[in-house]
């Protein structure tokens, strides 16, 4: 069992202690109200606000690890939130500072049938995007092949014939079209 009072001792020495407590309380409160919500189970360690308000303070990292977050790359992840442990930590933070946060509304869980529909739509969209990408690549390859073929093609001589009278075309009849016989 974590001794949150001892873990908070190094934090208390910082002038930014209250900012850190406010942020930690918000993280903890979100997890207490929504323990299954993945977005509350992940903390990006490189987040500038968290860096400035929490991780920059001595003892903050140890406190977060004691809550159950585990380092994983640029994240701290809490796989199975222990709500009782989080409630004890929240009480200790509030007791230490006298700070009581505004309680956010819990997010309502998405019903299974709606989640399944969303997942199916997302999967269909990804499949369409993959198909579109394949088609785009195919069209680009064909266009490139056409450009290469046209580069190597020689201009052919015209197959046109000279007019019997050597003049210019001024009427349809000059080129053999008789509009009176349905040639137009």
């Amino acid at each position: 069992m974590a001794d949150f009072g001892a873990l908070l001792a190094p934090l208390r020495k910082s002038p930014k202690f209250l900012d850190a407590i406010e942020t930690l309380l918000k993280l903890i409160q979100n997890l207490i109200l929504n323990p299954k919500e993945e977005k509350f189970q992940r903390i990006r360690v490189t987040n500038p606000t968290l860096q400035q308000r929490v991780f920059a303070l001595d003892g903050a990292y140890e406190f977060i690890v004691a809550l159950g977050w585990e380092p994983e790359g640029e994240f701290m992840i809490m796989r199975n939130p222990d709500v009782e442990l989080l409630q004890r930590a929240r009480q200790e933070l509030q007791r230490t500072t006298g700070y009581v946060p505004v309680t956010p509304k819990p997010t309502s869980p998405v019903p299974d049938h709606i989640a399944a529909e969303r997942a199916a739509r997302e999967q269909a969209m990804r499949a369409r995007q993959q198909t579109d990408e394949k088609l785009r690549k195919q069209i680009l390859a064909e266009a490139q092949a056409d450009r290469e073929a046209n580069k190597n093609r020689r201009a052919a001589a015209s197959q046109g014939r000279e007019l019997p009278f050597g003049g210019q075309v001024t009427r349809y009849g000059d080129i053999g079209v008789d509009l009176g016989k349905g040639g137009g």
Side-chain angles (χ1 to χ4, degrees):
M1 197 151 20
D3 179 9
F4 293 117
L7 287 168
L8 288 173
L11 285 169
R12 286 190 193 105
K13 296 176 186 174
S14 172
K16 295 183 179 181
F17 174 65
L18 289 177
D19 288 340
I21 296 302
E22 181 180 354
T23 304
L24 289 169
L25 281 169
K26 183 170 180 120
L27 293 171
I28 291 169
Q29 186 72 13
N30 285 339
L31 269 169
I32 289 171
L33 293 174
N34 307 289
K36 302 275 187 226
E37 189 75 35
E38 284 186 33
K39 71 179 181 182
F40 298 128
Q41 295 175 359
R42 297 172 63 116
I43 300 173
R44 185 182 304 269
V45 178
T46 57
N47 177 314
T49 302
L50 289 176
Q51 280 290 325
Q52 180 184 10
R53 296 185 78 170
V54 179
F55 291 113
L57 304 176
D58 289 336
Y61 180 85
E62 292 78 9
F63 184 80
I64 286 174
V65 169
L67 292 173
W69 270 290
E70 301 169 0
E72 189 173 295
E74 68 174 292
F75 292 98
M76 298 289 286
I77 298 178
M78 185 177 294
R79 288 187 170 69
N80 298 309
D82 180 350
V83 175
E84 290 180 27
L85 178 74
L86 292 168
Q87 288 173 337
R88 283 197 345 267
R90 178 182 62 187
Q91 289 170 353
E92 182 63 30
L93 288 170
Q94 290 171 342
R95 187 188 64 73
T96 301
T97 62
Y99 179 81
V100 179
V102 175
T103 306
K105 297 177 187 173
T107 58
S108 57
V110 177
D112 291 340
H113 71 281
I114 293 175
E117 287 175 16
R118 284 182 186 168
R121 278 196 308 266
E122 288 174 5
Q123 186 177 8
M125 185 176 69
R126 281 192 296 274
R128 274 194 309 272
Q129 287 173 343
Q130 289 174 347
T131 302
D132 290 351
E133 183 63 20
K134 286 179 186 175
L135 183 60
R136 186 183 74 78
K137 286 181 180 179
Q138 179 184 357
I139 291 169
L140 287 174
E142 289 173 3
Q144 183 64 29
D146 284 348
R147 278 190 219 106
E148 291 298 322
N150 287 339
K151 241 190 242 181
N152 299 327
R153 203 170 59 173
R154 289 189 1 222
S158 173
Q159 299 296 321
R161 58 187 172 121
E162 281 193 38
L163 292 173
F165 52 85
Q168 296 179 329
V169 176
T170 56
R171 297 176 297 189
Y172 287 110
D174 292 345
I175 56 172
V177 176
D178 186 0
L179 294 177
K181 296 184 181 176

